[in-house]
Amino acid sequence: WRVKGTPFYLGLDGSWQFGDADTTLSIGGVNALTATITPGYKIGPRVGYVTSLGPMVYGGLQYATGELRLSGPALAGGACTQPSGSFGLNCNVDLRGLNWLVGVEIPLANNVTFAIQADMTRYNTENLVHDATCGGGCTVKLDSDIDVLSVVGRLSIRLPGM
């Protein structure tokens, strides 16, 4: 939506991402784990500015979801349990966080635009391991610096009457 009498636009931006990101890590002596991060949906406000040359530059902040899954041969034998008892490894963690986005949208024709956008998602700290053998019980938290950076190209066609 264009702010009347200005070159500014306000909008609501939402997306669903497909694909995974894998990395290898070790937790408390359990080695060679594969951590797979699957981004989910993102939604939030977006503000744009139309330049005198025609392209719109924009930025926004979104609420983001995702999932972390741990796998690997070291997890055979029931190590993947919800944290309870003396020791447990949480192998499926729902992630929540914030996504920052910046981009530029270029008009190609009357109702057609092309955009390139960079997204940086930072997920919250999550519990991965509970170990009651470390002096009364402790929880190892997943480092809050799980960041997912993506670059997206998008072709948009505005339908007549919209």
Side-chain angles (χ1 to χ4, degrees):
W1 301 286
R2 187 171 192 154
V3 178
K4 190 174 182 179
T6 74
F8 291 98
Y9 281 78
L10 299 175
L12 182 63
D13 194 76
S15 65
W16 182 270
Q17 288 188 287
F18 299 96
D20 295 330
D22 291 336
T23 189
T24 302
L25 57 104
S26 298
I27 300 174
V30 181
N31 297 315
L33 296 176
T34 299
T36 303
I37 298 170
T38 304
Y41 70 86
K42 300 182 229 178
I43 189 163
R46 180 173 94 163
V47 177
Y49 175 80
V50 178
T51 68
S52 60
L53 299 175
M56 177 173 64
V57 293
Y58 60 89
L61 181 65
Q62 300 173 317
Y63 173 76
T65 65
E67 181 182 60
L68 173 77
R69 293 184 312 278
L70 297 177
S71 60
L75 297 179
C80 285
T81 59
Q82 291 296 320
S84 63
S86 63
F87 180 82
L89 182 62
N90 191 358
C91 294
N92 293 294
V93 178
D94 289 329
L95 300 173
R96 303 284 182 259
L98 289 176
N99 180 68
W100 293 266
L101 63 95
V102 294
V104 62
E105 191 169 290
I106 303 162
L108 300 178
N110 195 22
N111 289 334
V112 180
T113 61
F114 174 76
I116 189 146
Q117 173 178 309
D119 290 24
M120 203 288 285
T121 305
R122 174 161 287 178
Y123 291 110
N124 292 336
T125 301
E126 300 291 344
N127 293 336
L128 272 190
V129 178
H130 173 79
D131 188 353
T133 63
C134 63
C138 65
T139 300
V140 177
K141 294 202 177 275
L142 181 63
D143 190 347
S144 63
D145 289 339
I146 288 189
D147 297 334
V148 177
L149 178 64
S150 59
V151 177
V152 179
R154 179 180 66 236
L155 184 66
S156 300
I157 301 171
R158 188 174 352 147
L159 299 175
M162 297 191 89

